[in-house]
Amino acid sequence: MTEADTVVVGGGIVGASIAFGLARSGESVILLDEGDIAFRASRGNFALVWVQSKGLAMPAYAAWTQRSAKEWNDLAAILRNETGIDIAHSQPGGFTLCLSQKEVDARLTKLQQFHSQPNVAHFPYEILDHDEVKRRLPHIGDKVVGAVFSPLDGHANPLLLMRALHSYLAMKGSEYWPTHAVEIIERTPEGFRVKGGWGEIRTAKLVLAAGLGNARLAPMVGLEAPVKPSRGQLIVTEKTVPFLHNPMVTIRQTNEGGVLIGDSKEDAGFENVTGTGVLSVMADRAIQMFPRLRHLNVVRTWSALRVMSPDGFPIYDQTSCDPPAFVTSCHSGVTLAGVHAMTLGPALAQNARLPETLAAFTPKRFHVPAN
């Protein structure tokens, strides 16, 4: 029988970021990972640290993402200094490019709605016309009508982030157990027994960060995580000379030189496949934005399943009695990695309770009767 202060179920970016905060606070952590049979959203994401579109209809989410963007700088520095791994994080500001005046007007309307919300955390942004976008991004095409720019947006390399987080955990004495799918969780007076075909582990504190798997696991500890998949498809080109230093909401050039293109949201259940219909539309819009992309070869396409709640916002919840168990579900694991590592993980270690700032994110919001 193995024991740990805290067991985190889910070895992706969300689970590893929370485990980082726990381990940095001195707790012994075991990170359980289903293995490569999992859907692996952490290895199929667009890797934006994005602020400018987060929080319409939930001001608490705007504050949470903006805080995370700030915390990202400390997280990247700690990982670089402790592990020697540069996760290619930068915060040069991000653009949302528009190919018609209708798109510009729609974006402006959403921004006005966002900033008119009571108690919302405002963020700086600019509405740019074609000439100003061209001045800042010389390689845009003539069909770009305008853009929204926010200096708070950035991006990172998600695979290097995963590697750095796991390296840090190993340095702190925490353990990563791959191919350890969880089948049963039982509550005991002292904590929890987490079981699978691999055996059993005992812990006084449990964190569920298993993505889509949370829907099955959360009820075992008296919690809920009503999440479902939303498929996104991505394209990556061959490496080319650096020409795009700022991330776009649908296009970004990685630190290694390849260009990522991603602009789809599909209700396709658990069917995790690509299709030329969606990919061709994405490629066409990308070429209209940056005509030079038409000359690059596509080296890979893939799809990944986002972890989506009914309203699209994260879910954070905890058991009402001890021993404590927590559930975390979100589709912006990279954006929120900063706050998960630097705020949430330490709070769970020090207080064994969620921060008060997360009260708005419980699944109780889904049970409020509509007026």
Side-chain angles (χ1 to χ4, degrees):
M1 179 77 68
T2 305
E3 297 187 5
D5 293 336
T6 303
V7 166
V8 179
V9 181
I13 288 175
V14 175
S17 298
I18 295 172
F20 168 99
L22 290 162
R24 188 163 180 257
S25 300
E27 294 210 355
S28 65
V29 181
I30 294 180
L31 188 63
L32 300 181
D33 195 1
E34 188 176 14
D36 287 337
I37 62 172
F39 289 110
R40 292 295 193 200
S42 293
R43 295 183 182 178
N45 64 74
F46 205 64
L48 295 176
V49 181
W50 206 250
V51 168
Q52 66 171 274
S53 59
K54 307 283 190 178
L56 182 60
M58 182 177 273
Y61 188 43
W64 193 232
T65 54
Q66 290 177 45
R67 179 171 180 170
S68 193
K70 294 178 182 178
E71 303 261 34
W72 248 99
N73 296 304
D74 289 339
L75 173 61
I78 292 169
L79 290 174
R80 182 175 59 253
N81 293 336
E82 295 283 341
T83 70
I85 300 172
D86 184 348
I87 59 177
H89 169 250
S90 66
Q91 192 180 27
F95 292 82
T96 300
L97 300 185
C98 301
L99 295 176
S100 69
Q101 188 59 45
K102 182 178 179 180
E103 291 184 13
V104 174
D105 293 341
R107 179 59 54 181
L108 181 57
T109 296
K110 286 188 176 181
L111 287 169
Q112 291 170 340
Q113 291 172 342
F114 174 92
H115 286 280
S116 66
Q117 297 176 106
N119 303 315
V120 73
H122 296 272
F123 65 88
Y125 70 91
E126 299 175 75
I127 303 293
L128 310 177
D129 62 14
H130 172 85
D131 291 343
E132 181 59 22
V133 180
K134 183 75 172 179
R135 187 183 71 80
R136 302 188 192 191
L137 301 173
H139 299 282
I140 64 164
D142 294 338
K143 294 186 178 181
V144 175
V145 174
V148 177
F149 172 79
S150 174
L152 300 186
D153 296 319
H155 57 157
N157 185 312
L159 300 184
L160 290 176
L161 173 60
M162 283 279 286
R163 178 184 168 196
L165 287 170
H166 283 265
S167 296
Y168 180 91
L169 291 173
M171 292 172 57
K172 294 298 182 179
S174 295
E175 299 180 41
Y176 171 62
W177 292 10
T179 65
H180 279 65
V182 173
E183 298 172 5
I184 299 172
I185 302 172
E186 296 177 348
R187 180 188 292 272
T188 70
E190 297 78 23
F192 300 90
R193 292 174 180 262
V194 183
K195 302 179 179 181
W198 40 269
E200 179 179 330
I201 186 171
R202 184 181 298 165
T203 182
K205 186 162 42 185
L206 180 68
V207 178
L208 300 179
L212 294 168
N214 278 348
R216 176 180 65 87
L217 297 173
M220 295 183 187
V221 296
L223 298 173
E224 61 175 320
V227 292
K228 63 179 183 178
S230 172
R231 186 172 68 193
Q233 300 188 43
L234 295 97
I235 299 170
V236 63
T237 73
E238 63 184 318
K239 297 176 183 178
T240 187
V241 295
F243 75 97
L244 189 57
H245 301 287
N246 300 81
M248 317 288 112
V249 72
T250 59
I251 303 171
R252 74 180 190 92
Q253 188 171 24
T254 72
N255 62 301
E256 297 167 335
V259 178
L260 276 178
I261 302 166
D263 189 16
S264 71
K265 295 179 181 179
E266 305 167 77
D267 186 5
F270 288 89
E271 188 177 4
N272 196 14
V273 297
T274 59
T276 54
V278 170
L279 294 173
S280 64
V281 171
M282 289 164 41
D284 180 65
R285 283 186 61 85
I287 290 170
Q288 291 183 61
M289 294 175 179
F290 294 96
R292 66 183 293 159
L293 294 177
R294 71 171 64 250
H295 304 295
L296 296 179
N297 292 314
V298 171
V299 298
R300 190 160 67 96
T301 64
W302 72 93
S303 65
L305 301 181
R306 300 180 185 88
V307 181
M308 297 297 293
S309 68
D311 60 7
F313 297 114
I315 294 172
Y316 299 97
D317 205 5
Q318 61 194 14
T319 52
S320 57
C321 59
D322 290 333
F326 307 88
V327 63
T328 299
S329 295
C330 69
H331 75 277
S332 294
V334 176
T335 293
L336 295 176
V339 79
H340 286 163
M342 305 302 296
T343 297
L344 180 57
L348 299 185
Q350 296 162 13
N351 306 317
R353 308 304 295 168
L354 291 173
E356 288 295 326
T357 52
L358 297 182
F361 295 97
T362 73
K364 297 181 181 68
R365 67 185 189 268
F366 304 127
H367 303 296
V368 176
N371 293 329

